[in-house]
Amino acid sequence: MRLRWKLTAGFGTLVVLTTASIGALLAQGFEQEALRSVRQSLASEAHLFRAGVSVPLDHQHAAELQARVMEAGASLRSRLTLIALDGTVLGDSREDPSRMDNHAARPEFVEALAGRVGNSTRYSRTVGTRMMYAALPVLQAGKRVGAVRVALPLSEIDARRAEIRRMVTLVAGLGLLITLLPGFFLARRFTEPLGRITEGARTIAEGQIGPELSVDTGDELGELASAFNAMREQLAQRLQTITDDRNQTLAILASMNEGVIAVDSQERIVHINRVAGAVLGVHPRLAVGMSLPKLEPAPEVLSAVRRTLERPKTRVRELLRDREGKPQTYELRTTPIRNDAGKILGALVVLHDLTELRRLEGMRRDFVANVSHELKTPLTAIHLMIENLQADPDMPVEQRARFHDKIRAQSERLTTLVADLLALSRIEAHEGTLTRVALDLREPVEASVRSQRTTADEHEVELICDLPSDPVLLEGDAESLRQITDNLISNAATHTPAGGRITVRLHCPNEHEVWLEVQDTGMGIERQYRERIFERFFRVDKARSRARGGTGLGLSIVKHLALAHEGDVSVESTVGHGSTFRVRFPRAGAPPLSRKASAPLPAAG
Ligand code: ADP
């Protein structure tokens, strides 16, 4: 039953009970009072009646006594009775005494004979109604001879009492009716805010915060509502904090370069980030909640997770996967997830991409092998020639001179190689911290052209220098800029047949950059080599390069010096017609054109 109806019923019951008990008390008071007055008037009538009894109270005078009683009782409402000592009725104003029972046992008579005013109320069978009796002892000649008794029917009092009861019932009924309607509204005043609070609590239980409650009753219900609002506010804040924390964690996981998969103890995926999804070829949102075996990831992942769950400890192994068609190497690390009590809740899989690391390792290996090879070749040649010279002391002078020339050439080659290697490692070490000052680029370029003119002449190629008349300002290191130009001119000279032409040009295509171009009319570079020539030790024609003392490091040095100046280098070439190498630099105050390397670059490139 709803509280509203319970309260209304309660009010009703209260009203009925109150009215009924007040009515009952009133009725009882009235009856007491009425009985007391009847009792008093009976007592005084009994006294009067007794005073009037002058005839001896015995059986001989029965007829006379009856006549007197009838006479005295004629004008009275009360019934008069004379009773002899033995209880025989000698006279009665309403009945025939001879037909009446012996009254010896009547309580009022017994009391009167004991010398008191006898009093009793009971139902009279003789008269057929409730009666009140009062009896007094009669003394004649100093002896107790019987008793007079006066009786009144109480039917009137009974009637009044019944009427009072009816009144009380009526009042209670009316009260009930009058209470029910305001009671109902009063109950609603309590239950309506309660209903709203209940609704609010239910909304929260369903996982929503819902609006704030407004209950301004100013009583305990109002207090309950404001306590509820405070709780709601607290919950909302905590929920927000939890949501923020969760979003932050998800954002961190999502932005990680590593793939992350969290699996519960039932091998169900609890979380998988974007990278892991890409590695395993699944959409993270669809994968969450799925069982790992059902997802059919790489068998290595599943077996690593299973082993970690069975025997909890961190395990590391390698995983080879094709990603977007390219083979990739990952470090697959599985760690058990434990709660505070140390219980295993699942396993965490972290996939770390080792592909780049492996590639760089490979390059470093190649580099060491290349350097060793490059050093070994001239060393072996020198060694052989010295042995020859020692083995043949009678060697003709011209031959001996040829050997000496070759030994010098090889040792020069070694010197160049070591110098280039040192230059490269210096550039690497200082790439991020190269000291650059404001300078006019025309100066180092002109100096380089001047120094390279001899080389050009040796190769019988024309060297043209085409520089603007205005200064070309940039922030750079003069020595490095000169080395760039040197390397490019020397390359052009060695790859251009006699009669060809080399043009060194400075050109500003816009206000941000300046181009240093070295153009030749040489053999050109085939398309497939145009990227690779900037790698260390890469040479299109190894024998030719060695023969003219090349180390295969020149363009690599150019590239790193360009990067150190926040610029870059590229080549355009037509086989058989010539090549143009272009180094782009940012002009003074302009933004970088390329990433300024701050860490040593990989051994390659
Ligand atoms: P090298 O010491 O062999 O010149 P570089 O790093 O300077 O080493 O050049 C790498 C390779 O690029 C050369 O071996 C050559 O094959 C090619 N190359 C460089 N410059 C030119 C050019 N101007 N014309 C044609 N080929 C060139």
Side-chain angles (χ1 to χ4, degrees):
M1 188 159 77
R2 295 198 67 94
L3 184 62
R4 186 183 305 173
W5 296 114
K6 281 188 185 168
L7 280 173
T8 314
F11 291 144
T13 315
L14 215 63
V15 168
V16 170
L17 277 181
T18 317
T19 327
S21 41
I22 291 174
L25 274 174
L26 274 176
Q28 205 187 5
F30 161 78
E31 191 175 353
Q32 296 291 323
E33 187 50 41
L35 286 174
R36 201 165 56 81
S37 82
V38 172
R39 197 174 297 123
Q40 267 176 7
S41 68
L42 278 180
S44 44
E45 275 183 25
H47 275 103
L48 280 174
F49 181 29
R50 184 171 71 173
V53 179
S54 49
V55 182
L57 212 66
D58 53 29
H59 291 277
Q60 287 87 346
H61 296 87
E64 197 179 338
L65 285 168
Q66 172 65 7
R68 290 279 179 88
V69 168
M70 292 294 283
E71 188 188 336
S75 58
L76 286 173
R77 262 195 333 125
S78 352
R79 170 186 172 194
L80 304 179
T81 313
L82 270 175
I83 308 162
L85 197 61
D86 61 355
T88 319
V89 177
L90 296 175
D92 191 283
S93 60
R94 298 282 163 88
E95 294 289 331
D96 179 0
S98 59
R99 298 226 310 259
M100 286 168 69
D101 300 337
N102 186 294
H103 275 36
R106 298 292 197 271
E108 67 279 3
F109 178 69
V110 175
E111 236 181 294
L113 286 193
R116 293 187 293 271
V117 180
N119 224 296
S120 161
T121 307
R122 66 174 178 279
Y123 184 80
S124 159
R125 259 188 291 121
T126 325
V127 190
T129 164
R130 214 159 68 97
M131 303 283 285
M132 182 183 274
Y133 301 93
L136 283 175
V138 179
L139 297 172
Q140 284 180 346
K143 276 172 70 188
R144 212 166 272 169
V145 291
V148 289
R149 190 182 75 168
V150 186
L152 257 178
L154 294 180
S155 48
E156 216 171 285
I157 295 174
D158 286 349
R160 284 295 296 277
R161 199 172 54 179
E163 198 177 330
I164 287 179
R165 273 194 196 142
R166 266 200 310 282
M167 282 293 288
V168 168
T169 316
L170 194 70
V171 168
L174 265 176
L176 189 66
L177 274 182
I178 294 168
T179 341
L180 276 183
L181 203 63
F184 178 79
F185 285 109
L186 197 67
R188 215 174 66 163
R189 228 175 73 87
F190 289 114
T191 54
E192 200 266 339
L194 268 178
R196 274 192 283 148
I197 295 171
T198 312
E199 193 49 45
R202 198 170 287 143
T203 315
I204 289 180
E206 281 164 5
Q208 288 154 22
I209 288 299
E212 195 167 274
L213 296 181
S214 68
V215 178
D216 311 323
T217 48
D219 53 15
E220 285 87 341
L221 277 175
E223 275 174 35
L224 176 63
S226 56
F228 180 89
N229 280 337
M231 180 194 78
R232 177 194 157 280
E233 183 65 22
Q234 271 277 335
L235 267 177
Q237 270 176 14
R238 290 201 186 161
L239 210 67
Q240 191 58 46
T241 313
I242 293 171
T243 314
D244 288 350
D245 284 355
R246 185 174 170 274
N247 286 348
Q248 197 179 27
T249 313
L250 287 181
I252 291 170
L253 287 173
S255 58
M256 276 175 74
N257 284 331
E258 281 79 15
V260 177
I261 310 165
V263 179
D264 68 10
S265 52
Q266 262 75 53
E267 297 180 354
R268 257 196 316 266
I269 295 174
V270 181
H271 181 81
I272 175 165
N273 73 353
R274 187 181 43 81
V275 177
V279 173
L280 299 185
V282 289
H283 195 288
R285 217 169 279 161
L286 301 179
V288 169
M290 268 176 81
S291 131
L292 193 63
K294 215 168 162 198
L295 193 67
E296 291 183 342
E300 294 94 327
V301 176
L302 187 57
S303 75
V305 165
R306 285 198 170 145
R307 283 175 56 201
T308 306
L309 288 176
E310 278 160 20
R311 269 188 282 140
K313 67 169 194 176
T314 301
R315 283 164 213 279
V316 183
R317 60 183 294 183
E318 270 192 18
L319 170 70
L320 296 171
R321 286 285 287 189
D322 267 12
R323 190 171 163 188
E324 286 155 15
K326 291 186 199 138
Q328 308 275 318
T329 314
Y330 295 95
E331 178 194 85
L332 169 63
R333 180 181 288 265
T334 38
T335 317
I337 306 174
R338 296 175 200 267
N339 64 7
D340 290 346
K343 193 179 167 234
I344 304 295
L345 301 180
L348 185 73
V349 180
V350 178
L351 294 165
H352 181 62
D353 193 345
L354 299 179
T355 316
E356 183 61 13
L357 199 71
R358 291 280 185 270
R359 192 177 72 84
L360 295 180
E361 277 170 7
M363 281 182 169
R364 274 188 204 282
R365 262 199 309 276
D366 290 351
F367 176 70
V368 172
N370 278 330
V371 169
S372 315
H373 182 72
E374 295 293 331
L375 289 172
K376 213 176 139 201
T377 317
L379 279 174
T380 314
I382 292 170
H383 185 76
L384 270 174
M385 284 182 279
I386 290 174
E387 262 183 358
N388 278 338
L389 283 170
Q390 283 175 336
D392 185 6
D394 305 325
M395 190 181 280
V397 179
E398 305 86 66
Q399 198 180 351
R400 189 173 286 272
R402 267 208 314 279
F403 271 126
H404 281 148
D405 284 347
K406 279 187 180 164
I407 290 172
R408 191 188 306 112
Q410 291 298 345
S411 64
E412 270 170 12
R413 196 178 149 198
L414 272 177
T415 313
T416 325
L417 186 66
V418 172
D420 277 1
L421 280 172
L422 275 175
L424 252 186
S425 72
R426 224 181 8 252
I427 299 164
E428 268 189 5
H430 300 292
E431 203 150 58
T433 56
L434 188 79
T435 322
R436 289 160 63 195
V437 292
L439 50 81
D440 180 0
L441 182 58
R442 293 180 308 170
E443 286 167 14
V445 171
E446 266 174 345
S448 169
V449 170
R450 263 197 308 276
S451 74
Q452 291 297 316
R453 202 164 283 287
T454 343
T455 321
D457 290 346
E458 277 170 17
H459 287 87
E460 294 171 31
V461 289
E462 193 187 353
L463 178 59
I464 298 169
C465 186
D466 176 12
L467 301 181
S469 50
D470 292 332
V472 180
L473 291 179
L474 57 76
E475 279 173 10
D477 171 49
E479 184 50 43
S480 308
L481 294 168
R482 192 181 153 169
Q483 193 171 4
I484 291 175
T485 325
D486 280 353
N487 286 4
L488 292 178
I489 297 175
S490 125
N491 274 351
T494 46
H495 293 92
T496 305
R501 192 175 60 238
I502 302 172
T503 314
V504 179
R505 196 178 295 120
L506 275 185
H507 169 61
C508 297
N510 56 50
E511 56 186 9
H512 296 302
E513 49 191 283
V514 50
W515 293 357
L516 162 65
E517 286 180 340
V518 177
Q519 185 179 18
D520 62 54
T521 55
M523 54 195 284
I525 305 157
E526 283 181 55
R527 185 172 295 277
Q528 74 258 38
Y529 302 127
R530 282 182 204 160
E531 282 286 319
R532 298 206 61 196
I533 51 174
F534 296 101
E535 289 176 16
R536 288 170 193 196
F537 297 115
F538 184 84
R539 286 165 284 204
V540 176
D541 182 345
K542 271 198 171 55
R544 200 186 129 90
S545 165
R546 283 212 192 96
R548 57 157 193 87
T551 58
L553 293 172
L555 285 179
S556 198
I557 291 172
V558 169
K559 178 179 162 181
H560 286 300
L561 286 176
L563 285 174
H565 283 82
E566 295 170 331
D568 58 22
V569 59
S570 57
V571 64
E572 280 168 16
S573 185
T574 315
V575 177
H577 283 88
S579 317
T580 304
F581 283 83
R582 177 179 301 138
V583 189
R584 301 192 308 151
F585 297 106
R587 291 173 73 174
L593 296 172
S594 71
R595 163 187 75 91
K596 186 174 173 179
S598 55
L601 283 167

